[in-house]
Amino acid sequence: MVYRVDDDSRLRIGELSRRSGVSPELLRAWERRYDLLEPTRSPGGLRLYSLEDLERVRLMSRHIADGLAAREAAALAARAPLEVTREAPTAAFDAAAVRAELARAMDAFDEPAAQAAIDGLLAATTLDTVLSEVLVPYLRELGARWAAGEVSVAQEHFASNLLRGRLLGLARGWGRGGGRRALLACPSGERHDLGLIVFGLALRARGWRVDFLGADTPTDSIVGAVESLAPALVVVSATSPELLAPVVPALRRLAGRTQVALAGAGARELDGDALLTLTGDPVMEADRVAGR
Amino acid sequence: MVYRVDDDSRLRIGELSRRSGVSPELLRAWERRYDLLEPTRSPGGLRLYSLEDLERVRLMSRHIADGLAAREAAALAARAPLEVTREAPTAAFDAAAVRAELARAMDAFDEPAAQAAIDGLLAATTLDTVLSEVLVPYLRELGARWAAGEVSVAQEHFASNLLRGRLLGLARGWGRGGGRRALLACPSGERHDLGLIVFGLALRARGWRVDFLGADTPTDSIVGAVESLAPALVVVSATSPELLAPVVPALRRLAGRTQVALAGAGARELDGDALLTLTGDPVMEADRVAGR
Amino acid sequence: MVYRVDDDSRLRIGELSRRSGVSPELLRAWERRYDLLEPTRSPGGLRLYSLEDLERVRLMSRHIADGLAAREAAALAARAPLEVTREAPTAAFDAAAVRAELARAMDAFDEPAAQAAIDGLLAATTLDTVLSEVLVPYLRELGARWAAGEVSVAQEHFASNLLRGRLLGLARGWGRGGGRRALLACPSGERHDLGLIVFGLALRARGWRVDFLGADTPTDSIVGAVESLAPALVVVSATSPELLAPVVPALRRLAGRTQVALAGAGARELDGDALLTLTGDPVMEADRVAGR
DNA sequence: ATAGGTTTTGTCAAGCTTTTGTACAT
DNA sequence: ATGTACAAAAGCTTGACAAAACCTAT
């Protein structure tokens, strides 16, 4: 993960040399001959370099490695626009930082950066953590910012679609295998299926088999699928009670044969005598359900 | 090798020669005789070429290779409209192409490129496909090239470790859930565990739960683990029959309590009355085993 | 967990020295030369420091450890905004407790629990801390328990493979970047590569670029890789001197061209005139090496 | 292709200054 | 506690040098 850096640090030539792998003598020679750097000076006359200078030196070294002569490499490096970045020292795993980077990339429609952030996440930690510590909070935040008008519809769409693609990528094959079977769907009119996908992934990680009908599924289709697939669990998710209410009677009738749950923000107010209600963090809810 | 193109790099004649494969003397002769290039000069008089010049030289070489006389080739190359080539955008998903790119990156110790290739793969297709269409063939090929001396041990190690990291990353969480349990190990002396990991991943994708002991596990330990974990399936994998043979008696004794399989190239000749033999593509074998 | 700091506590210079690890003389020198701190005075003239001062000193020390000169470190530390309420550095996680939980999970072949423990760790603290406070001690302990027969080979294998997967996951991208290049390998016959991976991660966090050949690499291959990659540092690690000895002559020949180090328990007894010896905690050793 | 001269570039040395941790005297 | 001293480490400038890479002309 790459963070922007407060370019306050002033390095002396030895440190610049250590970080860049270029000897102090050579650094001075490059300055003298090509004006590659213009370090400020300490009161006593020692050179003080910025982190940008470090990047410049690295760039020059790379050009030399590419076969350019020193002078040409310097000319190129001197006028290149540099973005000072640094590997996070806390590279461990800082959920807030990653979330921020994800938000930045998404807002800027920077798809590669967003994908890279997710790639890095998946490499560094478990799927559960990615989902519950980063993606779910990010989605929540995105919703809030959208409601507050801080995010355009285009940005929201961009982010949703990118994440949907990624999550469905992770989901590939979740309908396979011998575990208990869960059927997931959003009712007619509901198009927010990301939370449901996250829930499905968490369930999958717990050994379940997932059948996903996705957004905007008519009641009849849900019932039909239950009949033909005979899942151990049916989850219907929506963001508002109005969308959920029309489905409830039919679900109640199913509840004899199989476990049925309502999920999402819309499930909050609907009581479930026979129906389970899952309104918390999708991963935690998956844990709860899987543990039964 | 991919070179940066963004720029007005000025190449000296040596570098132009390296990149074009045309000797410096000849380059100068072409300039003198046909005015093929008009390099700028450094303050000291050295020729400085642009990337466009490089393209021009390449074009001329191609024309010569096509049988044209030098003068005609030069005339053609001199007035041809040139586009400075950039890196080709990556194609959607061409298993062979990705495999080739993976091989290139690995051979060059280019970790980021190899990781990116795998990232792209995972985003583009299913894990099963990644494993059986790309990684397994790549590993097979790597082994063959290693045997033929085309790949150094260092390259083979580099590639193995990188892949092991990726595969174990994908494996995170495979020990969780309520599915049937498989215990995977290589016998003493066997250090090739990548095929076994691939098999485990395929099994996991089919809902199984995996306990992985990895390379070089003594017979006693396998038996002990079987006793404490009571798996539904035990798989022992090795590349040669000699390594597998000493374990067979103990495995036969286990075969009453649980399904036991021999896997890998070493399993070929050992028939198993009581023991299953898995010698094919790990993913297909996982399919077979999971289907029982 | 956030604690409010009662900024009433007044530390005398001795106590500040103990808590910060900086000698009283040096603290006074920093005050005089860089105005780093402005302690209040007791009636008798003794300096009285606040907890904020302590943080400032620690920050300065960290900058110095990062390679900055004292004056620049002081400038940075002096104007850094220090939060009055700050994260409790130690209360957030209890290294010993996590280590115990990790050991429990590993012994029980409980993969999800072990993964969760590591996830928690990574979220709670820096990679350096995770490595040096938990994983390295855990590995040491595991080795000791294995030697004492308290842990089966199966358990040891299970734990190693799980950790290897996590560490290599964190290692993703360590071959990228413009930093100085380090080549890491174990000699023929050596299969313990975890310590070396930890070292590589620590080096990476310090801006280096890592090429990893891993366990069981023949001498020729190491030499060949050095020639083609031209690293600034070569590290060869083994658990016993017998495994390391055969490689030493070849390494000595490399030592003219590049820095060469022996690492691991096996390096202890081998003297290195031309060779560096790294036998301590991998993270500390990385610190040392990176600082050269 | 070779010969003979020039440019470029990394490295080194000598002699002097600045910086900084530690020590000592008051 | 203060103030001064000191020595090691790290830098500075100037100048020089030699290997590598290029040049022109034959």
Side-chain angles (χ1 to χ4, degrees), chain C residues 1 88-102 117 120-121 124-125 129-130 133-135 137:
Chain C
M1 181 84 48
T90 50
F93 86 107
D94 175 352
V98 179
R99 220 153 64 214
E101 163 60 8
L102 193 61
L121 264 178
T125 182
T129 310
V130 172
E133 303 282 309
V134 181
L135 296 188

Side-chain angles (χ1 to χ4, degrees), chain C:
Chain C
M1 181 84 48
V2 175
Y3 292 91
R4 190 163 302 283
V5 164
D6 47 340
D7 211 11
D8 295 338
S9 350
R10 300 271 125 190
L11 313 177
R12 296 226 288 248
I13 201 168
E15 182 61 17
L16 182 66
S17 167
R18 255 187 304 282
R19 294 205 194 176
S20 65
V22 177
S23 76
E25 290 81 7
L26 191 48
L27 285 170
R28 282 192 282 259
W30 284 355
E31 178 184 329
R32 180 164 27 89
R33 291 175 181 156
Y34 319 120
D35 292 318
L36 180 67
L37 304 174
E38 298 184 17
T40 59
R41 298 296 181 132
S42 78
L46 303 190
R47 275 169 248 257
L48 296 177
Y49 298 92
S50 69
L51 291 177
E52 200 179 322
D53 290 332
L54 172 58
E55 277 322 298
R56 222 170 275 285
V57 172
R58 283 186 175 147
L59 184 56
M60 166 130 183
S61 299
R62 208 162 65 225
H63 283 138
I64 288 183
D66 280 352
L68 292 195
R71 166 155 276 126
E72 327 309 329
L76 239 51
R79 68 165 175 277
L82 291 178
E83 305 145 30
V84 180
T85 61
R86 41 180 312 284
E87 299 276 319
T90 50
F93 86 107
D94 175 352
V98 179
R99 220 153 64 214
E101 163 60 8
L102 193 61
R104 187 210 60 73
M106 291 290 201
D107 290 355
F109 296 99
D110 185 347
E111 198 239 329
Q115 300 281 18
I118 300 174
D119 268 4
L121 264 178
L122 290 175
T125 182
T126 62
L127 181 57
D128 269 12
T129 310
V130 172
L131 296 176
S132 66
E133 303 282 309
V134 181
L135 296 188
V136 169
Y138 169 73
L139 285 171
R140 222 183 284 285
E141 194 182 296
L142 183 66
R145 289 167 63 214
W146 177 80
E150 295 168 22
V151 173
S152 73
V153 177
Q155 286 168 319
E156 191 272 343
H157 271 46
F158 177 83
S160 294
N161 281 306
L162 196 156
L163 279 183
R164 184 173 291 108
R166 285 312 290 250
L167 293 174
L168 289 177
L170 294 169
R172 166 208 282 254
W174 63 0
R176 181 204 322 259
R180 311 185 68 192
R181 211 160 178 173
L183 180 72
L184 273 42
C186 301
S188 282
E190 176 61 60
R191 270 166 315 182
H192 293 81
D193 56 356
L194 289 177
L196 196 58
I197 300 177
V198 169
F199 179 79
L201 286 170
L203 218 45
R204 173 58 176 168
R206 286 158 183 74
W208 285 59
R209 175 174 170 184
V210 175
D211 298 302
F212 184 74
L213 300 183
D216 202 20
T217 307
T219 307
D220 287 355
S221 300
I222 298 177
V223 173
V226 170
E227 272 156 14
S228 73
L229 299 177
L233 171 69
V234 180
V235 180
V236 179
S237 163
T239 49
S240 89
E242 289 79 39
L243 293 169
L244 223 35
V247 202
V248 169
L251 293 181
R252 243 182 257 264
R253 277 191 294 278
L254 289 177
R257 256 178 301 168
T258 171
Q259 175 91 261
V260 180
L262 305 176
R268 207 155 297 153
E269 299 158 37
L270 296 166
D271 90 313
D273 4 331
L275 308 184
L276 214 57
T277 316
L278 312 173
T279 55
D281 166 25
V283 177
M284 279 176 41
E285 295 293 17
D287 229 11
R288 222 179 84 203
V289 167
R292 294 180 164 252

Side-chain angles (χ1 to χ4, degrees), chain A residues 34-229:
Chain A
Y34 319 121
D35 291 317
L36 179 67
L37 304 174
E38 299 184 18
T40 59
R41 299 289 182 134
S42 81
L46 304 196
R47 276 167 250 256
L48 296 176
Y49 298 92
S50 68
L51 292 175
E52 199 179 323
D53 291 331
L54 171 58
E55 283 316 303
R56 219 170 277 286
V57 172
R58 285 184 172 154
L59 183 56
M60 166 132 183
S61 299
R62 209 158 66 220
H63 282 138
I64 287 182
D66 280 354
L68 291 195
R71 167 156 272 126
E72 327 310 329
L76 241 49
R79 67 166 175 275
L82 288 180
E83 204 181 312
V84 177
T85 57
R86 180 183 61 173
E87 295 289 317
T90 64
F93 167 65
D94 180 346
V98 178
R99 220 153 62 214
E101 164 63 6
L102 192 62
R104 187 207 61 75
M106 291 291 201
D107 289 355
F109 297 101
D110 185 349
E111 204 227 307
Q115 298 283 13
I118 299 175
D119 283 341
L121 267 180
L122 287 170
T125 183
T126 52
L127 181 59
D128 268 15
T129 306
V130 173
L131 296 176
S132 67
E133 301 286 311
V134 180
L135 295 188
V136 169
Y138 169 73
L139 285 170
R140 219 182 287 285
E141 194 182 296
L142 183 66
R145 288 168 64 213
W146 178 80
E150 295 168 23
V151 174
S152 73
V153 177
Q155 285 170 320
E156 194 271 346
H157 271 52
F158 176 81
S160 297
N161 286 323
L162 195 155
L163 279 184
R164 180 175 294 105
R166 222 30 227 265
L167 292 173
L168 288 177
L170 295 169
R172 255 171 297 219
W174 63 359
R176 175 201 317 253
R180 309 184 66 194
R181 209 158 179 174
L183 180 72
L184 310 184
C186 297
S188 282
E190 176 60 62
R191 270 173 314 187
H192 293 80
D193 56 357
L194 288 176
L196 196 57
I197 299 177
V198 169
F199 178 81
L201 285 170
L203 219 46
R204 175 58 175 173
R206 284 156 183 77
W208 285 57
R209 177 172 169 185
V210 175
D211 297 301
F212 185 72
L213 300 182
D216 205 15
T217 308
T219 308
D220 288 355
S221 302
I222 298 177
V223 173
V226 171
E227 273 156 12
S228 71
L229 300 176

Side-chain angles (χ1 to χ4, degrees), chain A residues 12-15 28 33 41 45-47:
Chain A
R12 303 237 268 244
I13 202 168
E15 182 62 14
R28 282 191 284 255
R33 292 173 181 156
R41 299 289 182 134
L46 304 196
R47 276 167 250 256

